[in-house]
Amino acid sequence: MNSNFSRRDFVKASAVVAGGLSVTSLPFQSAANSSVDDTIKVALVGCGGRGTGAAFQALSVKENVKLVAMADAFRDRIDYAYKNLTTEKENSKRQSVKSRVDVPEERKFVGFDGYKQAIALADVVILTTPPGFRPIHFEEAVRQGKHVFMEKPVATDAPGIRRVLAAAEESKKKNLKVVVGLQRHYQKSYLETYKKVIDEGAIGDIVAARCYWNNDGVWVKEREAGQTEMAYQMRNWYYFNWLCGDHINEQHIHNIDVINWFKGGYPVDAVAMGGRQIRTDKKFGEIYDHHAVEFKYADGMVLASYCRHQPGTVSDVSEHLVGTKGRATEGKIFDLKGNSIWRHRGEGDKDPYQVEHDVLFDSIVNNKPINDAERGAYSTLTAIMGRMASYSGKRVKWEEALNSNIDLMPEKFTWDTLPKTLPDKDGWYQIAMPGKTKAV
């Protein structure tokens, strides 16, 4: 690094980048030079449980980082995150990050537009709101020339995917570092399995795959008296497609992404079925409680993809590959007769949620190339294509999914704005009906 490059120089360089020009590096000053402020300023946009966890991880890296701004649509979410980040808990496995939090009241931004102000104050932005907002926030972070950690999925509809892809291209031109929270790419057991399967060919050619996210489901927020429809849907965001994209997109994307990664590509089409069998109450909004999708890849390989939110059923969150010489799952490889031929031992494994932040900040300080945005967008599109096929009962092709003009997002964002999905007079939301619901 340039030992004469100060934080003031960095801010100037960032301003040049934000103005649309590219620079070859955005170095930070080494901590060895105490005369220069080498602090990397972080903003948290989206202060729920995942956002709080991501902030903990960002503030736990070895580089000199400080949380300087927070933004959320709801004030109580900011208070929740701030309290958790600044309270030293007994018997906690996490090291305290209290000393790295510097967010006075004037840098806590509440409301739909607060993200712009928070982003402006930072060098690195953590984007952890409900996924529907991700394209808007990522686009703004790139416009301002900021490095980004953003949670998966990165959108809930095709127009959002296209916005992310456009911003991803711009982020590359600006030499911005971007990590997407598909943390299996940073998990040692998966990385070693990838080396064995892909680099060393341990199972031969991959000819089939299956993956699962089957469990009981997640929280639900009851409607409160006096809530506007916008406020209710945002509090209960998991059950509305403009915010979540259904659980095939919000959770099962992890497993789908692993298959795309090992396959080295994305499906060409999908055919599916799904519905609401257990989770049928009006409080569960509009999403399904199960999906079963066949994704077909260009060489004809089929991925059998299953996700389910049904209490009292078998839990399974995993990915499986079948090859011409054997089969593999995370950290395990077997021959075609079922005999174990390799197993990841787990010595020295680190929390992949922490590793992805370690890698991001190391890449920023040492100007190493890293940008997950395009990959995150295409794996998100894979999940969205599966939802389209499940909801419609039609075969959906990749290009059809990518070019779909079905836009789930509201036209504007205020507490009185009516989302596009609304309940009837009895409080029930319209549920997708295969054979009738439009595919793309």
Side-chain angles (χ1 to χ4, degrees):
M1 280 186 287
N2 179 356
S3 61
N4 295 317
F5 197 100
S6 70
R7 172 163 184 80
R8 181 177 298 175
D9 295 321
F10 170 78
V11 173
K12 289 180 181 178
S14 297
V16 171
V17 171
L21 300 178
S22 174
V23 295
T24 57
S25 64
L26 295 176
F28 285 84
Q29 179 58 254
S30 168
N33 188 342
S34 60
S35 64
V36 177
D37 182 4
D38 67 336
T39 305
I40 304 175
K41 295 183 178 180
V42 178
L44 174 62
V45 178
C47 300
R50 180 75 280 268
T52 303
F56 264 113
Q57 286 133 13
L59 299 179
S60 298
V61 300
K62 64 183 176 64
E63 288 76 18
N64 184 15
V65 302
K66 184 160 287 189
L67 182 67
V68 300
M70 303 170 75
D72 199 282
F74 298 104
R75 174 67 202 219
D76 65 284
R77 294 289 79 194
I78 293 177
D79 293 341
Y80 162 87
Y82 185 82
K83 180 179 179 180
N84 275 275
L85 292 167
T86 56
T87 301
E88 297 184 19
K89 299 178 181 179
E90 294 183 6
N91 302 320
S92 174
K93 294 181 180 179
R94 286 175 168 162
Q95 184 176 354
S96 174
V97 297
K98 182 178 180 179
S99 64
R100 291 185 159 193
V101 178
D102 180 17
V103 190
E105 284 300 309
E106 63 268 22
R107 295 204 294 266
K108 296 175 181 177
F109 302 103
V110 181
F112 289 104
D113 292 329
Y115 70 97
K116 296 178 182 178
Q117 297 162 285
I119 290 171
L121 295 171
D123 307 313
V124 182
V125 184
I126 298 171
L127 302 179
T128 46
T129 61
F133 291 101
R134 200 83 72 244
I136 301 168
H137 294 169
F138 179 54
E139 195 174 66
E140 179 65 18
V142 172
R143 187 191 71 79
Q144 293 195 33
K146 312 297 183 174
H147 305 292
V148 175
F149 171 83
M150 60 177 169
E151 260 303 342
K152 56 76 215 161
V154 301
T156 59
D157 58 19
I161 291 291
R162 295 194 293 270
R163 290 180 76 167
V164 171
L165 288 171
E169 282 303 306
E170 193 66 17
S171 71
K172 292 176 184 177
K173 294 175 184 177
K174 293 182 175 183
N175 193 30
L176 300 176
K177 317 306 179 186
V178 182
V179 167
V180 174
L182 292 164
Q183 79 283 347
R184 285 161 171 79
H185 289 266
Y186 299 89
Q187 186 167 335
K188 189 176 180 182
S189 57
Y190 281 91
L191 291 168
E192 288 196 356
T193 304
Y194 184 91
K195 180 180 178 181
K196 291 288 183 181
V197 170
I198 303 303
D199 297 341
E200 300 177 12
I203 66 171
D205 295 331
I206 300 172
V207 296
R210 67 186 194 278
C211 63
Y212 307 87
W213 191 295
N214 295 339
N215 62 13
D216 289 355
V218 298
W219 47 264
V220 62
K221 304 291 185 183
E222 300 286 352
R223 190 183 293 271
E224 297 177 4
Q227 274 184 318
T228 66
E229 184 63 24
M230 176 65 79
Y232 170 67
Q233 291 194 18
M234 286 187 60
R235 288 289 193 184
N236 209 35
W237 63 268
Y238 203 96
Y239 299 97
F240 296 95
N241 281 320
W242 73 273
L243 287 161
C244 166
D246 207 315
H247 64 109
I248 189 175
N249 189 48
E250 216 289 324
Q251 288 182 310
H252 192 36
I253 182 179
H254 280 296
N255 318 108
I256 293 169
D257 172 70
V258 167
I259 305 301
N260 287 343
W261 174 23
F262 277 69
K263 191 63 180 171
Y266 304 93
V268 296
D269 67 34
V271 63
M273 62 180 66
R276 285 164 65 109
Q277 183 178 9
I278 304 298
R279 196 165 55 193
T280 58
D281 193 276
K282 65 182 72 173
K283 67 185 178 182
F284 298 118
E286 61 178 334
I287 72 172
Y288 279 7
D289 65 10
H290 64 281
H291 299 264
V293 188
E294 286 189 358
F295 292 105
K296 185 173 69 177
Y297 291 76
D299 63 356
M301 190 205 86
V302 171
L303 161 63
S305 160
Y306 305 95
C307 59
R308 177 178 63 198
H309 278 178
Q310 296 176 340
T313 60
V314 173
S315 293
D316 188 354
V317 178
S318 61
E319 309 86 21
H320 307 268
L321 300 164
V322 178
T324 53
K325 297 193 301 183
R327 55 188 177 85
T329 186
E330 177 206 347
K332 299 174 184 177
I333 296 178
F334 305 89
D335 65 20
L336 291 176
K337 294 182 179 181
N339 300 309
S340 177
I341 58 177
W342 175 80
R343 181 182 295 268
H344 172 67
R345 298 301 177 185
E347 293 90 350
D349 285 10
K350 296 182 179 179
D351 178 4
Y353 291 93
Q354 183 60 52
V355 173
E356 56 191 358
H357 288 270
D358 293 343
V359 171
L360 173 61
F361 284 89
D362 177 67
S363 298
I364 292 168
V365 169
N366 295 298
N367 193 32
K368 298 177 181 178
I370 187 167
N371 197 314
D372 296 342
E374 183 178 284
R375 172 171 54 78
Y378 283 137
S379 279
T380 299
L381 180 62
T382 308
I384 291 172
M385 181 171 70
R387 184 191 73 215
M388 290 174 169
S390 183
Y391 280 10
S392 67
K394 305 291 186 180
R395 185 178 298 276
V396 179
K397 296 180 180 179
W398 179 263
E399 291 300 322
E400 292 174 332
L402 178 60
N403 294 315
S404 171
N405 288 319
I406 296 177
D407 188 341
L408 303 179
M409 300 301 289
E411 294 180 0
K412 60 180 181 179
F413 298 99
T414 72
W415 293 118
D416 294 322
T417 297
L418 292 177
K420 294 179 180 179
T421 296
L422 297 172
D424 65 17
K425 62 182 179 62
D426 298 315
W428 293 96
Y429 294 88
Q430 186 172 351
I431 308 303
M433 185 64 65
K436 295 183 178 180
T437 295
K438 182 180 178 181
V440 296

